[in-house]
Amino acid sequence: MRVLLTGRDGQVGWELERLLDDVVAIDRTALDLSGRGIAEFIASVKPEVIINAAAYTAVDKAEAEKDAAMRVNGIAPGILAEEAKRLGALLVHYSTDYVFDGEKQAPYVEDDAPNPLGAYGASKLEGERRIRASGCRHLIVRTSWVYGARGRNFFLTMRNARQPLRVVDDQHGVPTSSRFLAEHTVSLIDKKVEGLLHLVPSGSTTWYGFARQILGEKSAITPIRSSEYQTAARRPANSVLDNRKAQALLGGALPDWRSVLAAVR
Ligand SMILES: NC(=O)c1ccc[n+]([C@@H]2O[C@H](COP(=O)([O-])OP(=O)(O)OC[C@H]3O[C@@H](n4cnc5c(N)ncnc54)[C@H](OP(=O)(O)O)[C@@H]3O)[C@@H](O)[C@H]2O)c1
């Protein structure tokens, strides 16, 4: 099965490339998703599966660069989808917990209404919409708080930070390792799963709880409120994704986020 993988140097793309056999893995220099030539490139590769692991992921910067975020996260996935449709290929695409506004008092299920608070979330939601509208075979995987042993992420930031630290304790989510995501994505493709899916480990925490789990109970970390840590983009107070549909499709319980973290260190 010939796979075209975008974002090969990203957190998830890097893990995926190592799990796939027949893969054409590309970075921005091979194909810039904010530019022209996407359709022609795909037509020349003729993949059976396209995995789009590339994205504009700078949540705060996106507030000042709305057009750039929309080109990569909103418009490009639509072009990938049109080409997937033309080829009869499956498009696997990642989306985000930040499509939700965080007002719900329980984990978000796939059918909950999105209402993004910021430009990043809005651009990712537009990507979802265009993929669905194309009518191509697709699997949209929403995930959250992605980290791993390489890349730019909260896990490495905490490990390299000098204590004492102040970390936000009123945003709830599910830390998800890039390897967890890549491994389960491959299983979902093998099982021919299509549609929209929330894929995260089980359980949930706050950024403060995540930091404590990374650095240990004796670490010097003070919990603070979001209002004490100003960022350009507003973030949802609750972006916990419900993974029960993924568990049913994958045929078993997904591990707790703490045991997924333990496997990364
Ligand atoms: N990170 C998270 O916490 C998180 C949370 C929820 C959902 N997600 C979603 O999960 C997916 C994977 O995220 P990730 O954490 O692996 O992202 P990442 O580490 O930021 O990697 C994204 C990759 O996309 C590439 N890219 C950006 N703009 C591009 C362009 N114009 N043309 C071609 N390539 C471009 C980047 O290349 P450069 O290095 O050249 O910029 C990078 O290799 C994304 O869809 C993301 O929205 C992530």
Side-chain angles (χ1 to χ4, degrees):
M1 193 170 53
R2 191 172 173 78
V3 179
L4 173 64
L5 170 68
T6 67
R8 67 177 289 183
D9 293 328
Q11 300 191 80
V12 180
W14 192 87
E15 297 287 347
L16 279 167
E17 185 179 0
R18 273 137 198 90
L19 294 175
L20 297 164
D21 293 327
D22 186 7
V23 60
V24 177
I26 58 170
D27 62 9
R28 185 198 292 264
T29 57
L31 179 64
D32 184 346
L33 290 174
S34 65
R36 295 171 188 275
I38 300 174
E40 294 77 1
F41 187 92
I42 292 167
S44 72
V45 177
K46 295 191 183 54
E48 293 162 82
V49 179
I50 301 169
I51 308 181
N52 183 29
Y56 183 112
T57 54
V59 174
D60 290 310
K61 213 167 147 198
E63 295 300 319
E65 294 186 352
K66 289 192 173 64
D67 289 352
M70 188 56 84
R71 275 199 298 278
V72 180
N73 295 344
I75 296 169
I79 302 171
L80 296 177
E82 293 296 339
E83 290 314 301
K85 175 126 198 255
R86 204 184 310 278
L87 292 169
L90 171 72
L91 173 60
V92 179
H93 176 78
Y94 295 95
S95 189
T96 173
D97 54 334
Y98 285 3
V99 297
F100 295 116
D101 62 17
E103 296 294 326
K104 191 179 175 186
Q105 301 300 311
Y108 282 94
V109 295
E110 286 79 358
D111 290 339
D112 281 324
N115 182 31
L117 297 177
Y120 167 74
S123 69
K124 295 294 293 185
L125 185 60
E126 179 63 14
E128 290 187 14
R129 195 190 66 73
R130 289 190 185 219
I131 291 169
R132 268 195 294 271
S134 77
C136 77
R137 290 169 48 224
H138 65 266
L139 171 63
I140 298 174
V141 173
R142 285 198 194 124
T143 190
S144 68
W145 297 20
V146 178
Y147 68 94
R150 62 184 296 288
R152 281 185 302 272
N153 60 65
F154 182 85
F155 167 75
L156 292 177
T157 302
M158 286 299 112
R159 278 225 316 216
N160 297 327
R162 193 187 305 202
Q163 296 179 30
L165 295 163
R166 289 155 48 84
V167 180
V168 168
D169 196 30
D170 58 1
Q171 291 170 26
H172 298 259
V174 189
T176 304
S177 84
S178 47
R179 184 162 306 166
F180 169 97
L181 261 179
E183 286 175 352
H184 289 299
T185 299
V186 172
S187 300
L188 290 164
I189 295 170
D190 287 346
K191 288 175 183 284
K192 305 198 182 314
V193 173
E194 296 182 15
L196 172 65
L197 201 59
H198 289 177
L199 182 57
V200 292
S202 297
S204 67
T205 186
T206 65
W207 292 110
Y208 169 77
F210 188 19
R212 271 237 171 280
Q213 195 70 24
I214 295 165
L215 298 174
E217 284 305 315
K218 291 191 176 146
S219 49
I221 319 175
T222 305
I224 61 168
R225 304 177 70 81
S226 300
S227 55
E228 297 173 78
Y229 184 74
Q230 292 298 324
T231 53
R234 270 178 72 208
R235 286 160 170 77
N238 170 35
S239 68
V240 177
L241 299 179
D242 186 317
N243 67 4
R244 281 177 297 178
K245 183 176 172 187
Q247 302 207 57
L249 289 164
L250 287 162
L254 288 166
D256 185 85
W257 67 271
R258 293 178 197 81
S259 52
V260 175
L261 172 62
V264 172
R265 316 173 207 241

